[in-house]
Amino acid sequence: NAPRAFHTATLLPDGKVLVAGGSGPSAGNTDPTLASAEIFDPATGAWINTAPLGQPRQAHTATLLPNGKVLVAGGKSFFRSVFPTSAELFDPATGKWSPTFPLVSGREDHFATVLPDGKVLIAGGFNTSDTGPSTELFDPAAQSPLPRVGLPGAQGRGGDEIGDQRFEVIALQCRYMIGLGRSKKHAIDVRAEQQAQRTASAETEGF
């Protein structure tokens, strides 16, 4: 129903497709970044408007979680190059979005991958930080924010100590890959990630 680019399209468990965010036609000084979302039903060939995102965003990620919900994270607003740290969950059963705990580092053009344990790995991308965005994990099973953890070498927004959030910065060994434009793409060594988690757990016990 709305022309858009730099949006996400996510296949839902019922076979429908959720399209969210992106950038629409620019008109003067109006920010073209969209919050609108639509669902495509291949059985009828029809597009149906659904509840809008809480945060307009483009160049974000939308990840189908094992519980059937969709995690939308990161992206940016076109004007002023704002990189929101907010993240949202879409529930296909209700057709509504709900906020969840924010990213440590706002970013666009990043990767989001569901790991075998159901967590979501957020990596790479671009923001205005000289060091680039951190690598983070989202745990959809968590019922409360993760405790405050300080990890050596981890970069959070405004400092090295990570605040209370469900996204957890993890120290990874990353291999740089050729990216497009300004985005920084990484290939993640999962074994290094697992080792980093064990190290972080041991350090936390000493707090």
Side-chain angles (χ1 to χ4, degrees):
N1 293 321
R4 65 186 76 215
F6 309 114
H7 55 280
T8 53
T10 309
L11 182 63
L12 301 177
D14 63 0
K16 297 178 182 178
V17 180
L18 171 69
V19 171
S23 178
S26 179
N29 294 324
T30 302
D31 190 340
T33 306
L34 300 174
S36 63
E38 309 177 42
I39 292 179
F40 175 73
D41 186 348
T44 63
W47 289 91
I48 303 171
N49 290 325
T50 190
L53 292 158
Q55 167 74 53
R57 61 183 84 221
Q58 59 177 297
H60 53 283
T61 53
T63 309
L64 180 65
L65 303 177
N67 61 11
K69 295 182 179 181
V70 178
L71 170 70
V72 164
K76 77 168 186 176
S77 291
F78 183 79
F79 288 162
R80 298 182 300 279
S81 295
V82 175
F83 297 91
T85 58
S86 62
E88 309 177 46
L89 291 171
F90 178 77
D91 187 348
T94 63
K96 296 181 179 180
W97 298 89
S98 59
T100 188
F101 291 93
L103 289 158
V104 174
S105 296
R107 67 190 73 212
E108 64 167 325
D109 294 328
H110 51 283
F111 291 106
T113 304
V114 178
L115 301 178
D117 62 0
K119 296 179 182 178
V120 179
L121 178 67
I122 305 287
F126 171 84
N127 63 18
T128 55
S129 171
D130 291 337
T131 59
S134 59
T135 301
E136 312 177 34
L137 279 179
F138 174 78
D139 185 358
Q143 298 300 313
S144 60
L146 293 170
R148 183 177 296 274
V149 179
L151 299 180
Q155 295 291 327
R157 292 178 64 86
D160 289 340
E161 189 172 36
I162 304 160
D164 294 343
Q165 55 259 316
R166 192 176 298 174
F167 281 94
E168 176 185 10
V169 172
I170 54 177
L172 298 183
Q173 295 177 358
C174 300
R175 300 187 298 274
Y176 284 99
M177 299 176 65
I178 296 176
L180 298 176
R182 298 175 299 175
S183 64
K184 302 173 184 178
K185 307 297 184 182
H186 298 83
I188 303 303
D189 186 335
V190 176
R191 288 177 296 179
E193 178 264 330
Q194 293 172 340
Q195 179 61 44
Q197 286 184 310
R198 288 193 291 269
T199 301
S201 177
E203 292 177 350
T204 301
E205 291 177 359
F207 287 171

